[in-house]
Each structure stands twice: as structure tokens, then as C-alpha cells.
């Protein structure tokens, strides 16, 4: 059977804006650093994150990176930063396809 992608939209303060059923938790680790944990191992999955001003909110400038969590096969860490390289809290969307 086909199972669609898992997804989450996260506000700049680390609170979830919208999640799929498979998201266990979203944690704010530090300014511009978040961890998203799913209900399954995602090490073989594809992840795509984008800066996203939910509900049409305009977000100017910013970059996002996704890296696997070194401590949890079910999680990824997200870093958001401005174009000068300074870590800042920005809203983002994450899609995980397995």
C-alpha cells in the first residue's frame, strides 16, 4: 500500500503549526535549532525543508538545513539562519518521504 509523506509546519518559536499524524514531537533546542521526531525510523527517507511563512505570512531571507539526529533514528535536526549566516528562529516546513 502507499503511505503519503509525513510533514510538519513549525513556527519560529518551535511550536507546531500543523503536523501529520506521524509526528511525535517538535523541540526547540536553541535559537534557530529544532528537532522533529517521527513515530518511525526515517534514516532511509528523503527530507525536504523550506522556510515557510504559514498562512501567507511573508518571510524575507533565510536558509534552512536538515541533518539526521545522531542520537535518534526517528529524528532530524533543523537549523534556520539568515543570509549572513547568523542562526535565527524562522518558521519552516518539513516533508519526509519514505
Amino acid at each position: 500500500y502507499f503511505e503519503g509523506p509525513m510533514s510538519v509546519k513549525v513556527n519560529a518559536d518551535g511550536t507546531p503549526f500543523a503536523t501529520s499524524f506521524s509526528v511525535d514531537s517538535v523541540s526547540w533546542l536553541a535559537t534557530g535549532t529544532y528537532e522533529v521526531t517521527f513515530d518511525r525510523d526515517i534514516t532511509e527517507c528523503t527530507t525536504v525543508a523550506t522556510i515557510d511563512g504559514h498562512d501567507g505570512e511573508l518571510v524575507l531571507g533565510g536558509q534552512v538545513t536538515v541533518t539526521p539526529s545522531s542520537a535518534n533514528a526517528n529524528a532530524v535536526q533543523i537549523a534556520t539562519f539568515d543570509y549572513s549566516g547568523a542562526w535565527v528562529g524562522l518558521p519552516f516546513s518539513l516533508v519526509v518521504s519514505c
Side-chain angles (χ1 to χ4, degrees):
Y1 69 93
F2 173 76
E3 186 172 333
M6 300 174 281
S7 64
V8 62
K9 291 183 177 199
V10 178
N11 295 312
D13 65 1
T15 57
F17 177 80
T19 65
S20 65
F21 63 91
S22 52
V23 175
D24 275 350
S25 65
V26 177
S27 302
W28 179 85
L29 303 177
T31 300
T33 308
Y34 313 86
E35 184 167 88
V36 179
T37 305
F38 294 89
D39 64 359
R40 66 197 74 172
D41 183 334
I42 60 168
T43 56
E44 298 298 320
C45 301
T46 301
T47 58
V48 176
T50 56
I51 300 299
D52 182 0
H54 321 306
D55 285 344
E57 172 190 350
L58 181 62
V59 178
L60 296 175
Q63 301 178 63
V64 61
T65 61
V66 182
T67 55
S69 171
S70 60
N72 185 349
N74 294 11
V76 291
Q77 291 188 347
I78 309 294
T80 59
F81 45 97
D82 65 18
Y83 285 117
S84 71
W87 290 19
V88 295
L90 295 171
F92 66 90
S93 293
L94 172 66
V95 176
V96 178
S97 301
C98 300

